[in-house]
Amino acid sequence: MRGRALIAALLVLACAAGSGAAWRGSPSFDVAWTAGVGPLGDEGFHVSVPVATIAGRSLVALPSARPPAVRVHDATTGQVLRTFPLSEPYGGLRVDTEFVGGLLAIRTDERPGEQITVHDPVTGQAKWSRRFSFADVPVAAFLPRTAVTRGGIVWASKGGLRGVDPETGRDAWTVPWPQGCAEYELLESELAVIVQNCRDGSLTLHGVDMRAGRVTWAHRVQGSREEIARADVSSTRLIMATGAERLTVLDARGRLIARARHTYPNVARPGAVSDGEVTLLVRSEGGARMMTAVGSRDGRVVWHKSLMPLEPVESAEGYLPGAHTLIAGHAVGSVDHELAARLIEVVSLADGARVVLPLPVSDQGSAVIGATGRDVLVYEAHPGDDRVTAYRFRDGPVERPPLAVPPERWPDACALLDPGALPGYVAVPMIEDHLGLRWPKPDVCEFAPPRDSEALVRVAVTWVAATAADAERLAGTILAADEDAERLGEGAYLSSDMDRDDLRTFAWVVGGGVIAKVQAVGDPATTRRAALAVAAHLRAR
C-alpha cells in the first residue's frame, strides 16, 4: 500500500476526471518566511498557533523548544517580537496558547491542575499567572478543565463554570452546571461551550456569554449507544457535532448553519470552515467524500461535489483530505499519512474548483498546523531543528500541470529492471487507471518467473520528481515514517511492512529523480536482489 500512497493521493487531488472540476491552471504557494522552533519532535504536529491583529499588527504565537518558550512573531515577516519562557520543555508540558482580546494567554497542564499565564504581547509585560486546582469537578480528568477563547477565560469548579477577568485573573461570575446528565466537557469557540454528555449517546451544547456570565443558547444533538454524539470546533470557530448519521454545524451564537447526512465508513474527517458568506461542509456518505457549500446566512446550497477514494477505507489511500483551515476564500486540507502532509488540497468556496499544491517536504515529516489568513503554516520536522514555514497563497492562473513531471516523461517501469538481473523472467507491462487518467507508458511492470517455484516480481513507478534532490527528500520522508526500514544499498531500502505471510517483501528505491516500489511476492531474498538492480539502473540514468 505504501508504494501507491503518494501517487494515489496526488491523483485523487489533482485529476479532474470524476470530480466535475476541469483543470484550468492552479493557484500557487510561495515561501513568505520560515522560523526555527528547535527540536519539538512529535509535539510540533499538535501545537496551537493562534493569530490576531493587535495594535494594527498581525501576530502569530509559535512554540520554541530551544529555549522552551512561546514566541510571538510578526505574521507577515516571521520576525520574533517577544519571547515568553516556559517552566519545562515541550513534551513534559501540554501547552496551549490563545489571544484573548489584546492579550496572550498561555495554558500549561501541570497536574493535578492547570496554569494560565497572561501577557501583553506588545510590551512583553506579564499581567497575571494563576494555578487552577480541580476537586470534585464533573469534567473528566483527561480533558481540559479550563477554556481559553478569544472572548474570555473560564474554569470548571464543583459548583459550575466560572469566568475569569482576562485583565486581572480574578473570578467574575459563575454559571451553574446544566441540570440532567452530569458529565461535561468544554469547547473553545468564540465563546465557551459546555458539552453535556448523556448515557444514551446524545449531547446538549450550551453556549456561554463570556461577558454577561450566562447561558444564552442550547442545542441538543441526537446520538445512540452505537454512535455516540461528539462535538468539536473548527479552525474558523464553527461548532460541529456528529451523531445519528448527521453532521450539525452551528455558529458561536448557536444559530444552525447546516445539517447534513454523515455516515460510515469515514473517508474524510468531518468538518466545516466559513468565510462569513459561504460555509463548506466536509462529510462522508456511502463511502464517498461529500463537499457541500452553503450560504452562511440562508443555508442555500451553493455547490455540491462528491469524490470516491481510490482504495478501501482501511488503507492509507482510502482517506481523503478534510478542510483544516481557510485562506483567501479557499479551504485547505491535507491527509495525515506518509507524504500526504505535503500534498495540500485547495478548494474554492465560491465554486468548488480544487487543485493540489505540492510543498517542499522536510526530512522527517510535515503537517499543516494553521493559517494566518493568507499564509498556510506548515510544521516541518528536521533533525535537530524543526521549522514552521509560512507559505503565501497566490490565487492566480498558472498554466502548468498538477504533476511536477508530466506522465509522458515518466519512465517505462519495465525498463527499470535490466534483463540480466533476473535471468529468464519475462516483463509484462501494465498501465493502471487513476480516476480516468491513463499513463502513456507502463507505470507498473510484472516480471513473470521462468518456473512456478520462483517469485513474481512487481516494479511500480510511484513518483517522478522535478530533480534528484527533490526525490531524495521525498524518499527521506517515507523512510522517516518507517523507523524499522533496512538500508539494502545506495538508494534501496526494505520496508518494515509485512505481506500476508509475515514476510518483508516490500522495498523502496530512489534515484535519478524517480521513486519506485519493488516486490517479489513471498520471497524477501528476490525482493532485495531486484531492488538493488533497480537502484543501480536509476543511478545510471
Side-chain angles (χ1 to χ4, degrees):
M1 289 298 180
R2 289 178 184 269
R4 308 305 298 173
L6 174 61
I7 189 63
L10 182 62
L11 286 164
V12 167
L13 299 177
C15 298
S19 70
W23 180 257
R24 58 184 187 184
S26 73
S28 62
F29 283 114
D30 298 326
V31 174
W33 52 265
T34 185
V37 294
L40 282 175
D42 289 345
E43 296 298 319
F45 292 97
H46 311 290
V47 296
S48 57
V49 285
V51 178
T53 299
I54 298 175
R57 194 172 198 174
S58 182
L59 307 178
V60 58
L62 297 180
S64 169
R66 191 187 293 130
V70 173
R71 287 176 170 165
V72 175
H73 297 248
D74 184 302
T76 303
T77 66
Q79 177 189 359
V80 177
L81 303 176
R82 295 289 177 186
T83 299
F84 302 106
L86 297 175
S87 60
E88 294 182 35
Y90 280 87
L93 289 175
R94 189 194 77 218
V95 182
D96 298 301
T97 54
E98 182 60 275
F99 289 105
V100 183
L103 303 173
L104 174 67
I106 302 173
R107 175 177 59 193
T108 55
D109 183 8
E110 301 187 13
R111 295 186 182 278
E114 296 176 23
Q115 185 90 14
I116 294 179
T117 303
V118 173
H119 302 269
D120 185 320
V122 176
T123 66
Q125 176 189 1
K127 302 285 287 185
W128 56 269
S129 186
R130 178 176 171 184
R131 185 181 181 89
F132 294 86
S133 299
F134 309 101
D136 300 323
V137 173
V139 177
F142 60 86
L143 296 172
R145 292 173 166 181
T146 61
V148 181
T149 78
R150 294 177 182 178
I153 300 171
V154 297
W155 65 284
S157 71
K158 180 179 180 181
L161 191 68
R162 297 193 177 184
V164 177
D165 184 337
E167 292 287 341
T168 65
R170 291 191 287 267
D171 290 346
W173 46 260
T174 302
V175 170
W177 295 111
Q179 296 296 309
C181 308
E183 294 182 5
Y184 307 95
E185 60 183 290
L186 303 177
L187 293 182
E188 297 169 335
S189 178
E190 293 289 350
L191 44 67
V193 179
I194 300 172
V195 183
Q196 187 177 24
N197 297 304
C198 298
R199 292 185 179 180
D200 64 358
S202 64
L203 61 80
T204 302
L205 302 164
H206 304 266
V208 180
D209 184 316
M210 309 287 275
R211 293 184 178 179
R214 60 188 178 88
V215 173
T216 57
W217 58 266
H219 188 98
R220 187 172 186 272
V221 178
Q222 184 63 45
S224 66
R225 294 182 183 275
E226 293 73 28
E227 186 186 353
I228 298 174
R230 305 289 187 192
D232 202 355
V233 175
S234 79
S235 62
T236 56
R237 310 293 172 161
L238 297 176
I239 301 159
M240 309 172 297
T242 57
E245 298 190 337
R246 289 286 185 274
L247 170 64
T248 301
V249 179
L250 311 173
D251 66 13
R253 301 190 302 273
R255 185 175 61 87
L256 178 66
I257 294 178
R259 183 183 289 116
R261 186 170 172 78
H262 172 67
T263 63
Y264 289 96
N266 256 335
V267 298
R269 187 173 69 182
V273 292
S274 176
D275 63 359
E277 297 295 328
V278 176
T279 299
L280 175 62
L281 280 68
V282 180
R283 55 197 173 83
S284 300
E285 186 176 351
R289 182 188 70 175
M290 301 291 180
M291 280 190 165
T292 305
V294 302
S296 299
R297 295 182 177 86
D298 57 14
R300 177 181 57 85
V301 174
V302 178
W303 55 264
H304 172 80
K305 299 187 182 220
S306 65
L307 186 63
M308 292 288 291
L310 286 171
E311 299 289 342
V313 70
E314 62 270 12
S315 68
E317 299 94 317
Y319 205 69
L320 298 173
H324 295 351
T325 190
L326 187 73
I327 52 168
H330 293 72
V332 178
S334 63
V335 179
D336 299 326
H337 72 79
E338 285 191 4
L339 298 179
R342 64 178 295 281
L343 300 176
I344 295 183
E345 182 188 40
V346 180
V347 179
S348 168
L349 265 62
D351 58 11
R354 47 188 286 277
V355 294
V356 63
L357 299 172
L359 295 180
V361 71
S362 72
D363 294 330
Q364 297 181 344
S366 53
V368 175
I369 57 172
T372 67
R374 62 175 179 174
D375 299 341
V376 172
L377 299 176
V378 178
Y379 170 68
E380 301 169 343
H382 297 274
D385 187 17
D386 304 326
R387 308 193 71 78
V388 171
T389 300
Y391 291 95
R392 181 88 14 105
F393 183 67
R394 310 289 186 188
D395 185 14
V398 179
E399 294 301 330
R400 62 185 181 189
L403 302 178
V405 175
E408 58 269 18
R409 290 172 49 196
W410 284 39
D412 184 331
C414 293
L416 298 187
L417 187 58
D418 294 331
L422 296 174
Y425 274 70
V426 177
V428 181
M430 303 176 66
I431 297 178
E432 296 195 357
D433 290 335
H434 304 282
L435 290 178
L437 180 63
R438 191 169 177 84
W439 294 141
K441 289 178 285 191
D443 61 327
V444 178
C445 189
E446 291 189 348
F447 293 84
R451 289 174 290 275
D452 291 342
S453 59
E454 295 178 308
L456 175 75
V457 175
R458 181 181 173 93
V459 176
V461 180
T462 61
W463 184 246
V464 179
T467 67
D470 288 342
E472 293 286 349
R473 283 194 293 270
L474 291 170
T477 301
I478 301 173
L479 295 168
D482 187 1
E483 296 179 354
D484 296 322
E486 176 187 347
R487 186 178 186 273
L488 302 177
E490 186 176 352
Y493 302 86
L494 188 68
S495 170
S496 64
D497 282 356
M498 301 288 187
D499 63 14
R500 65 184 64 186
D501 297 318
D502 292 331
L503 298 173
R504 293 177 64 170
T505 62
F506 302 100
W508 280 99
V509 179
V510 58
V514 176
I515 298 177
K517 180 185 175 185
V518 179
Q519 181 190 17
V521 179
D523 188 343
T526 301
T527 295
R528 292 168 181 261
R529 182 155 50 102
L532 288 169
V534 172
H537 178 92
L538 292 177
R539 287 198 305 273
R541 288 181 82 228

